[in-house]
């Protein structure tokens, strides 16, 4: 009886600790989100810096790595502003066409017994679309301070990687040191592999969407292609949004239900082929996670950290499952929601990979 009570008490403690941790992540998102994003970037940038340090002084290698990272993000951000800016200006310039199509849709639905003149017509109209576009633009502009904090963390983190590796190797508790070292190594490797596969699939999706939009004469074909490329980094939610937006614009441009249905079906077919057929064969089984876990990760981290959480929600889950796979007491979590056994046990099978915490 006392043993059962002890297990219940221990489980209650774990549950309370998890609730407090989630609450802390939500309340202090301005503190934890930049740190998580910085660790994510360090995992991607470290191999470049390590190779540069082999032939250049440490500070020069750091400077080059930071410059490459900043140029990449500035270029990426400029393309985001260009694509969404073009779409926003097109909404404003063709607002009358959207309103006309909306009025036609409302009349047709009401003619078939579907009343939409109430709450829907008061909220979902062109003014709502304009307000939404302005809100998105405002939030994009407010991310500058976030990126500055992330940049500082990345610079400091890249400077501390070697020291961190030495501290972990010198820990008195060898078991904890092994979990930290092997977990960091395997996590960084998997995140780089995940981003490589995701980038290749995003490029393929963007090119296919651009080619299809160009073929059917949908305006802003290049912009829709880049938006599909960008949103494909967010599983489930991103492809859905990248499909709905062009379909809405096709409604206003073609004014034909047959054309709209064709556009919607073809865009979903592209997303299905790339996401459900090509990507699993390219990624293999090493990064396989339960689809329910992927969807939960996207919604959970989006709820906690917004857009940034949606982007790095899956990498965070990959990191958590990888660390769980390092210790027998938590291995069941990785086995249940991931596939640690398919790419080898990290504790024994990761000796030859690029180590993000190993000294240069």
């Amino acid at each position: 009886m006392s043993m059962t009570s002890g297990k219940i008490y221990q489980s209650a403690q774990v549950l309370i600790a998890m609730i407090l941790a989630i609450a802390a992540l939500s309340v202090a998102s301005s503190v934890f989100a930049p740190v998580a994003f910085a660790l994510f970037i360090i995992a991607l940038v470290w191999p470049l810096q390590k190779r540069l340090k082999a032939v250049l002084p440490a500070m020069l290698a750091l400077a080059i790595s930071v410059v490459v990272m900043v140029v990449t993000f500035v270029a990426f951000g400029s393309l985001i502003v260009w694509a969404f800016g073009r779409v926003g200006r097109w909404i404003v310039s063709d607002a009358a066409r959207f309103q006309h199509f909306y009025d036609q849709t409302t009349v047709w639905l009401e003619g078939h017994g579907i009343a939409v003149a109430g709450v829907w017509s008061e909220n979902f109209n062109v003014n709502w679309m304009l307000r939404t576009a302005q809100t998105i633009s405002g939030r994009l502009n407010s991310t500058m301070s976030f990126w500055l904090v992330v940049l500082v963390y990345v610079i400091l983190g890249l400077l501390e990687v070697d020291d961190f590796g030495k501290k972990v190797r010198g820990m008195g508790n060898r078991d904890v040191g092994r979990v930290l070292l092997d977990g960091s190594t395997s996590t960084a490797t998997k995140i780089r592999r995940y981003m490589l596969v995701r980038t290749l699939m995003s490029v393929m999706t963007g090119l296919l969407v651009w080619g299809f939009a160009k073929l059917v004469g949908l305006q802003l074909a290049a912009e829709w292609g880049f938006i599909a490329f960008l949103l494909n980094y967010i599983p489930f939610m991103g492809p859905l949004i990248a499909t709905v937006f062009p379909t809405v614009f096709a409604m206003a441009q073609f004014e034909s239900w047959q054309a709209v249905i064709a556009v919607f079906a073809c865009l979903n077919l592209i997303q299905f082929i790339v996401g459900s057929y090509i990507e699993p064969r390219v990624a293999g089984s090493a990064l396989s996670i339960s689809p329910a876990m992927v969807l939960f990760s996207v919604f959970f981290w989006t709820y906690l950290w917004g857009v940034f959480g949606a982007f790095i929600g899956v990498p965070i889950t990959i990191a958590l499952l990888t660390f769980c796979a390092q210790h027998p007491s938590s291995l069941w979590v990785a086995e249940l929601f991931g596939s640690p056994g398919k790419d080898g046990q990290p504790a024994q099978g990761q000796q030859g990979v690029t180590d993000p915490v190993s000294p240069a």
Side-chain angles (χ1 to χ4, degrees):
M1 185 68 180
S2 59
M3 183 179 298
T4 303
S5 301
K7 290 183 178 180
I8 295 175
Y9 180 70
Q10 185 178 9
S11 300
Q13 286 182 320
V14 173
L15 181 60
I16 293 173
M18 290 177 60
I19 294 174
L20 292 176
I22 293 172
L25 289 173
S26 178
V27 173
S29 60
S30 59
V31 176
F32 291 109
V35 173
F37 219 97
L39 292 174
F40 170 74
I41 294 175
I42 290 172
L44 300 177
V45 175
W46 172 248
L48 172 63
Q49 183 178 342
K50 185 176 182 180
R51 291 186 178 91
L52 291 175
K53 284 178 64 176
V55 296
L56 297 173
M59 295 306 297
L60 181 58
L62 173 64
I64 294 175
S65 301
V66 171
V67 169
V68 171
M69 178 193 68
V70 171
V71 169
T72 301
F73 275 93
V74 169
F76 206 75
S78 300
L79 289 174
I80 293 174
V81 172
W82 166 77
F84 283 98
R86 289 267 296 173
V87 172
R89 287 192 294 270
W90 200 79
I91 292 176
V92 174
S93 63
D94 283 9
R97 182 188 296 182
F98 277 96
Q99 187 66 57
H100 175 68
F101 182 80
Y102 172 77
D103 294 337
Q104 285 184 328
T105 304
T106 302
V107 171
W108 184 86
L109 290 174
E110 290 181 348
H112 289 74
I114 303 175
V116 294
V119 177
W120 187 20
S121 61
E122 293 176 0
N123 296 282
F124 189 79
N125 50 33
V126 173
N127 291 331
W128 175 85
M129 294 177 66
L130 292 175
R131 288 195 302 269
T132 302
Q134 292 172 352
T135 301
I136 294 174
S137 300
R139 290 184 178 179
L140 288 175
N141 292 331
S142 66
T143 58
M144 183 61 67
S145 58
F146 176 88
W147 287 115
L148 289 176
V149 175
V150 170
L151 179 61
V152 173
Y153 278 130
V154 169
I155 294 174
L156 295 177
L158 289 174
L159 286 172
E160 294 291 330
V161 168
D162 289 334
D163 291 338
F164 176 76
K166 294 175 182 178
K167 290 178 181 178
V168 170
R169 287 184 174 84
M171 290 181 63
N173 191 328
R174 296 294 182 180
D175 191 45
V176 174
R178 180 195 60 78
V179 169
L180 290 175
L181 186 62
D182 292 343
S184 299
T185 299
S186 185
T187 297
T189 302
K190 288 186 176 183
I191 287 177
R192 289 194 291 270
R193 193 185 312 166
Y194 168 81
M195 287 304 297
L196 176 61
V197 172
R198 180 61 63 181
T199 299
L200 291 175
M201 296 303 101
S202 297
V203 170
M204 182 179 297
T205 302
L207 290 175
L208 289 174
V209 170
W210 169 77
F212 169 75
K214 199 77 172 177
L215 180 65
V216 301
L218 185 63
Q219 295 183 0
L220 305 176
E223 288 80 354
W224 297 129
F226 180 77
I227 289 174
F229 160 78
L230 172 68
L231 294 179
N232 199 62
Y233 280 99
I234 303 175
F236 292 105
M237 292 175 56
L240 175 63
I241 297 173
T243 300
V244 171
F245 276 6
T247 302
V248 172
F249 277 76
M251 291 179 182
Q253 179 179 338
F254 299 124
E255 299 184 358
S256 168
W257 285 108
Q258 293 81 359
V260 170
I261 293 174
V263 169
F264 181 76
C266 290
L267 290 175
N268 275 281
L269 181 62
I270 291 173
Q271 297 287 356
F272 175 78
I273 292 175
V274 174
S276 301
Y277 184 78
I278 299 177
E279 183 172 344
R281 284 157 177 77
V282 174
S285 62
L287 297 179
S288 62
I289 302 175
S290 166
M293 194 64 183
V294 173
L295 184 61
F296 173 79
S297 300
V298 173
F299 280 107
F300 177 76
W301 292 104
T302 301
Y303 171 76
L304 290 182
W305 294 345
V307 176
F308 301 107
F311 182 78
I312 64 172
V314 175
I316 290 176
T317 302
I318 291 174
L320 293 176
L321 292 178
T322 303
F323 273 96
C324 287
Q326 305 303 316
H327 199 275
S329 63
S330 57
L331 180 60
W332 65 271
V333 177
E335 291 176 338
L336 183 62
F337 297 108
S339 57
K342 294 181 181 180
D343 59 341
Q345 292 296 338
Q348 289 85 17
Q350 296 288 344
Q351 300 300 323
V353 298
T354 304
D355 188 349
V357 291
S358 62

